């Protein structure tokens, strides 16, 4: 029996990261048409909730009745098991590609003409560079930026000492002008408030900025060595059981792997797993070397403990920044 709560409609709530609003508006409309081919009498409403990925996960733990989550980091999904037992431990194996239907990487957005001559991670510690990216404490995007910078710099020079990496990271963080709560607020700081020389964000968000605010005003740089950003999804077992939405929640997430949905992701500048679609959209996606966090650091739980939990490397580096 499906949940019927808004004047006889089936209501599904998707809790997602903050730059995915426009994407899921299109996905939702497309899925409803897909669902109604087999269920023509169903009236389906898909509600959206967006903010920083970590903040969204906390909200679900505090009682948000989300049926599905579509986040930008594995830890933000897995915490729903760790702290709430809202999903099973093996949630990542329920859908293809570790339950990540699309992926991306990190991009630099600079103002037209690239006045500060920023071309790669190495350029980001110059004293006159002002950087904008989200706070790694609250944003999955911010954590990917931090880890990409750390890994790329640590691999630049053979036998680079740990203290040398920390020194570079301290200079990098010293140049951060604003730590916004999420990617979309970082975009507003850079684009609307005209603050900063560079915005570091997802490749998809960088291209949406250029489309909405004029490619004549910005340039995008995709560093050749970069990080794989995954977007894990799952249905919330504890909630879909109560709402009677298990069947449609599973169908919604399975739909994300169809060619129709994969084309929508590519339209929004997300990389996808269907080779023919990637070939068709090859002019959008530079061929770069991507590394997985788990291959270069450790599992995400260890990464969180070492770098992002209270008293971790990020806190120590920020303290160094304030003491510079």
């Amino acid at each position: 029996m499906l949940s019927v709560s808004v004047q006889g409609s089936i209501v599904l709530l998707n809790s997602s990261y903050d730059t995915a609003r426009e994407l899921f508006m299109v996905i939702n409309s497309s899925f409803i048409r897909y669902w109604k081919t087999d269920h023509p009498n169903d009236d389906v409403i898909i509600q959206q909730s967006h903010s920083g990925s970590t903040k969204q996960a906390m909200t679900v733990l505090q009682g948000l009745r989300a049926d599905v989550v579509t986040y930008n980091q594995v830890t933000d999904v897995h915490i729903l098991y760790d702290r709430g037992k809202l999903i099973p431990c093996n949630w990542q194996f329920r859908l293809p590609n570790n339950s990540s239907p699309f992926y991306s990487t990190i991009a630099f957005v600079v103002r037209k003409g690239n006045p500060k001559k920023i071309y790669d991670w190495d350029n980001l510690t110059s004293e006159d560079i002002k950087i904008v990216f989200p706070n790694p404490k609250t944003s999955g995007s911010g954590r990917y930026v931090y880890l990409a910078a750390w890994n790329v710099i640590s691999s630049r020079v053979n036998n680079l000492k740990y203290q040398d990496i920390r020194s570079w990271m301290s200079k990098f963080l010293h140049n951060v002008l604003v730590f916004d709560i999420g990617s979309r607020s970082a975009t507003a700081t850079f684009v609307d408030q005209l603050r900063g020389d560079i915005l570091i964000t997802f490749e998809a968000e960088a291209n949406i900025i250029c489309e909405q605010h004029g490619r004549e005003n910005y340039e995008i740089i995709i560093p050749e060595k970069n990080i794989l950003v995954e977007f894990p999804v799952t249905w919330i077992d504890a909630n879909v059981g109560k709402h009677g939405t298990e069947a449609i929640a599973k169908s919604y997430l399975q739909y994300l792997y169809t060619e129709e949905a994969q084309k929508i992701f590519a339209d929004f500048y997300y990389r996808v797993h269907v080779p023919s679609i990637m070939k068709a959209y090859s002019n959008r996606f530079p061929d770069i070397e991507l590394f997985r966090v788990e291959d270069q650091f450790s599992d995400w739980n260890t990464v969180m403990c070492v770098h992002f939990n209270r008293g971790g490397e990020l806190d120590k580096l920020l303290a160094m920044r304030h003491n510079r």
Side-chain angles (χ1 to χ4, degrees), residues 17 23-24 100-103 229-231 265 270-273:
Y17 58 98
L23 168 66
F24 279 103
S100 181
F102 54 101
Y103 64 101
V229 177
E230 296 180 297
F231 296 85
F265 291 130
Y270 287 97
R271 299 176 186 236
V272 297
H273 299 287

Side-chain angles (χ1 to χ4, degrees), residues 29-76:
S29 297
S30 185
F31 170 73
I32 289 172
R33 290 193 295 273
Y34 170 84
W35 176 263
K36 286 177 77 70
T37 57
D38 290 330
H39 308 83
N41 296 322
D42 286 352
D43 184 18
V44 178
I45 297 173
I46 303 178
Q47 298 175 333
Q48 300 178 220
S49 174
H50 296 274
S51 185
S53 185
T54 304
K55 183 178 179 183
Q56 287 294 90
M58 294 299 106
T59 305
V60 172
L61 286 170
Q62 292 163 5
L64 181 71
R65 53 156 298 273
D67 300 284
V68 299
V69 297
T70 52
Y71 291 157
N72 59 26
Q73 198 163 94
V74 169
T75 52
D76 291 334

